Amino acid sequence: MADENEQQSACEAGRDEQHCKCRQRRAAAEAAAENASAAQQPAAHHCKCKHGDAEESGDEQPKHCACKHDAEGHAISTEPHLGYVADLASLIEIQQESTVSRVVMREDGLRVVLFGFDKDQALSEHTAAMPVTIQVLEGKLRVGGEGREVELVPGGVVYLSARLPHTVYAVEPSKMLLSMFDNRG
């Protein structure tokens, strides 16, 4: 882990092009995007650091990345900015007898995931390593945790602390917005 942190620090400082994985991440994301079917596969995310810009512009000497990367290796902007996603519900379709998900935003300390549940589909008891909120965009869910169950409809929100065992059950076909707050760095 320390070795990885040293490599990341060297990458961010622009000193160690050999260990910077921006190109590899970008190539993997592009390959994943090509292989993903158009039907509700997670959106590919690629590093938007200056490495990619240099490659695309044809510069012989690529600029080194100065962006921050999350625990999964995705680039995160460190500059103040406004993130925006319009019409969340339209970004996911409910599939018959299935639960589908799609990451729609990845920012410093935040990941936003859309879920589509057909009626009677569920996420069995599990925990999250970070605090989360759940909101329903369409439909009705039953969220259970800490010995309680709540019916969640559009306009409501559920907060779950880190490592709290919980379940999610679709009372009817539903679209859910999950926001994951990760401040571990």
Side-chain angles (χ1 to χ4, degrees):
M1 181 73 167
D3 206 25
E4 185 178 311
N5 288 338
E6 288 173 22
Q7 290 174 358
Q8 182 63 35
S9 296
C11 173
E12 289 174 0
R15 296 188 309 262
D16 192 355
E17 188 165 332
Q18 177 184 354
H19 290 105
C20 182
K21 301 212 183 298
C22 294
R23 286 184 183 162
Q24 294 167 352
R25 284 187 193 103
R26 185 163 174 249
E30 289 172 352
E34 289 174 22
N35 294 334
S37 67
Q40 297 312 312
Q41 291 295 325
H45 181 86
H46 66 277
C47 182
K48 295 180 181 176
C49 66
K50 298 195 186 297
H51 248 173
D53 294 342
E55 287 178 325
E56 290 172 8
S57 67
D59 291 350
E60 280 188 39
Q61 192 68 293
K63 300 172 187 119
H64 209 291
C65 74
C67 55
K68 182 178 177 184
H69 299 270
D70 66 13
E72 295 173 346
H74 298 94
I76 302 170
S77 175
T78 56
E79 298 296 318
H81 67 283
L82 182 142
Y84 176 72
V85 178
D87 196 14
L88 286 165
S90 71
L91 297 178
I92 199 157
E93 294 297 323
I94 296 170
Q95 296 182 12
Q96 189 172 2
E97 298 181 18
S98 295
T99 299
V100 294
S101 65
R102 176 180 184 185
V103 176
V104 294
M105 184 179 284
R106 208 181 296 263
E107 295 289 346
D108 188 19
L110 172 69
R111 185 170 17 158
V112 178
V113 184
L114 287 177
F115 282 82
F117 296 91
D118 197 9
K119 181 180 184 337
D120 296 325
Q121 295 299 304
L123 297 178
S124 59
E125 187 173 75
H126 63 284
T127 63
M130 61 204 68
V132 302
T133 61
I134 297 174
Q135 296 173 277
V136 173
L137 302 175
E138 297 175 3
K140 184 188 299 184
L141 298 174
R142 191 173 309 127
V143 180
E146 206 172 32
R148 295 177 47 195
E149 272 193 357
V150 296
E151 284 205 352
L152 188 60
V153 296
V157 63
V158 167
Y159 169 81
L160 300 165
S161 62
R163 292 176 280 295
L164 176 71
H166 61 278
T167 59
V168 178
Y169 173 80
V171 176
E172 58 189 55
S174 302
K175 294 182 181 182
M176 177 184 94
L177 178 70
L178 173 71
S179 299
M180 305 168 74
F181 304 94
D182 185 3
N183 293 319
R184 296 175 294 178

